[in-house]
Amino acid sequence: TPLLSTRHLVRRFRDADRPAVDNVCFELYRGEILALLGPSGCGKTTTLRMIAGFETPDSGSVLLGERDITNVPTQKRRIGMVFQDYALFPHMTLAENVAFAMTHLPRKQRHARALEWLALVNMAELGERFPEELSGGQQQRVALVRTLAAEPELVLLDEPFSNLDAGLRERTRKEMRELFKKTGTTVILVTHDQAEAMTMADRIGVMRQGRLLQVGPPQAVYREPADAFVAEFLGHTNLLEGEAAGLSAATALGPISLNTQAHGPVTLSLRPEDLALVRSEDPDSAIIVDREFRGHDYFYLLARGDSRYCAIVPNHDPLEVGARVRLQTAGEASVLPDEGRSQTQH
Ligand code: ADP
Ligand code: MG
């Protein structure tokens, strides 16, 4: 059985024209890291607050194991939440901060256990320091360890890295993922940053306007997005109209292989890394209108007639702005199961 299930969670705030959280259902298994990903205002925090017990759903339920905890007070849920502003107690040492959370242990054992927890993030020797002596990243790690030290069933993180600068954020993500895996912690991470969701999570749930649109492993939501919004939120893409016949579709770029069988009119998502550019003076070739050097590759913007395309190409042999190129597909497009589309599967 899942560790956590949300069943048809709905939360509508007064005066709002649509629910902040609209029929959200998902399951989370022990040891798993799930990212709730979506733009600002899509209902991520409200979902998390209902799971934590800070917010009561208008309808729907939250189950921890088989127990319905929808109306159980926060402090009895055994759920740990780390907030963006990770406030440590300034007058306590790091070890004291961590020990403070261990109310489940006899007082005498807490200090030694606190140092063990700090050792897990390579900070044991800093145990007698005070928070103000640490960098933001270090404080964030201690705040997390303090949450883990209470041995919650589930840890909730709401945009935990948004106060850290870019380089530190990347390192912290990796360290935290390792820490969660090492300790077998079950986690829900809320973020609007697709790179963060992809690198941290075992599964990603993409939200929009209160709804959970798709839940799946990072590769699946990236390669097989449920709709155009998911496709575009997870990275750059080319949305193409096509006429499918089995595993291939006719499009403005010529025939394209599909990731799944389809027939009739379809909308396709073709990732920029699945487009290859071949120099060509052909009258109907595309023209490079912009390019961005990104170290390991170039990101190109192309125009052909009224259509715009994007392509990502490894950085050897770069093409210059103004060059004419033929757009050649170098990978499969995914079929978007768009509503209103008469796409049939055989
Ligand atoms: P996210 O965390 O994805 O940015 P939130 O869950 O914070 O989104 O908010 C979802 C929607 O609910 C937003 O439109 C927000 O303005 C609204 N909202 C959130 N909390 C409250 C509240 N306490 N009262 C009224 N509206 C709220
Ligand atoms: Mg939020």
Side-chain angles (χ1 to χ4, degrees), residues 214-226 230 234 259 271 334:
Q214 183 174 12
V215 185
Q219 298 83 350
V221 283
Y222 185 78
R223 297 299 325 178
E224 293 150 44
V230 175
L234 287 206
N259 67 338
R271 293 289 179 193
S334 41

Side-chain angles (χ1 to χ4, degrees), residues 248-305:
S248 156
T251 72
L253 297 180
I256 295 187
S257 312
L258 305 180
N259 67 338
T260 179
Q261 293 249 6
H263 292 268
V266 282
T267 303
L268 306 175
S269 160
L270 183 72
R271 293 289 179 193
E273 61 272 25
D274 295 325
L275 258 186
L277 308 181
V278 183
R279 252 183 224 283
S280 158
E281 289 306 321
D282 228 34
D284 74 9
S285 56
I287 188 157
I288 296 176
V289 292
D290 194 16
R291 81 171 189 197
E292 193 180 311
F293 178 56
R294 311 193 309 171
H296 38 69
D297 56 36
Y298 277 94
F299 182 82
Y300 293 99
L301 271 181
L302 303 121
R304 181 163 165 267

